[in-house]
Amino acid sequence: MSLLPRLRLAFARRPWLYWLVVACCAALVWGQLAAVRTRAETDRASWGASRLVWVAVDDANPGEPIAVEQRRAPLAMVPSTILSDLPDLPIAARSVVAGQMLTPPDVATEHTPPRDWVTFSVPLDGTPTLHDGDAIAVFAVGRRLCDGMVGLGTDVTVEFAVPPECADAVSSAVAAREVVLGRSEGIPLGV
């Protein structure tokens, strides 16, 4: 008689033996899960100080509302530009993925250009002091091409957005390195 039929016969004659094996398996699984949880809590404690951050719950495309929740994250993982507060209904300024910590460029404000506008980047040298959301006039070869709005930039570039109807002219001027930006005293254009 092979092993499997013997075991089936032993379990049929002694049901308590079957339940003993089931209980041992359950205890083994529970012990493994408890060990994993303890390891996770130990690792989390080793992170040090943590902070509450706003995290996207679902993916969101530009212009869509962002579902958010607050979670704790270790300070070492939190970007220096993390959002400390959000509007009542945050709108995505760019694509956001689930689980992403939200920073100012992720959430549209009154300083965010409309979605259909085209964004360009030019070197910072020769431009006046500009801030996000400033209204600007875009010039090339001594003539005004259109009005626009300053977006994000870096230490060496300025990003600006223009309406789609003048994007072709601005594109040619950017490629020829002929773009000149001027701060306009108009009202920022907003979302």
Side-chain angles (χ1 to χ4, degrees):
M1 195 178 224
S2 69
L3 180 63
L4 189 56
R6 284 185 192 173
L7 285 175
R8 289 179 63 200
L9 183 61
F11 286 148
R13 288 184 180 163
R14 297 173 198 89
W16 62 270
L17 190 58
Y18 169 79
W19 289 110
L20 180 66
V21 170
V22 169
C24 288
C25 290
L28 182 65
V29 169
W30 180 83
Q32 290 296 322
L33 291 175
V36 167
R37 181 182 172 121
T38 302
R39 244 187 331 244
E41 289 173 357
T42 303
D43 289 346
R44 180 171 285 157
S46 71
W47 291 348
S50 63
R51 171 179 176 185
L52 279 174
V53 295
W54 291 102
V55 176
V57 175
D58 296 318
D59 295 350
N61 293 318
E64 294 179 351
I66 306 171
V68 296
E69 70 180 15
Q70 279 195 314
R71 295 185 189 162
R72 286 216 163 270
L75 285 178
M77 291 178 57
V78 176
S80 60
T81 59
I82 197 73
L83 284 173
S84 56
D85 58 344
L86 281 178
D88 292 336
L89 181 62
I91 304 295
R94 59 184 181 184
S95 293
V96 174
V97 295
Q100 176 180 336
M101 288 185 244
L102 298 179
T103 59
D106 299 325
V107 180
T109 66
E110 66 273 3
H111 303 298
T112 305
R115 281 181 42 184
D116 61 340
W117 282 28
V118 181
T119 303
F120 296 95
S121 179
V122 294
L124 186 62
D125 59 331
T127 61
T129 303
L130 298 170
H131 305 315
D132 290 351
D134 282 351
I136 58 168
V138 182
F139 296 90
V141 193
R143 69 182 178 93
R144 186 178 190 145
L145 298 177
C146 61
D147 292 329
M149 176 182 207
V150 175
L152 297 173
T154 66
D155 293 341
V156 293
T157 63
V158 173
E159 285 189 2
F160 65 97
V162 295
E165 56 270 9
C166 76
D168 291 340
V170 173
S171 171
S172 298
V174 168
R177 297 183 183 263
E178 297 173 345
V179 169
V180 176
L181 301 179
R183 184 175 40 237
S184 173
E185 295 303 323
I187 300 170
L189 303 171
V191 177

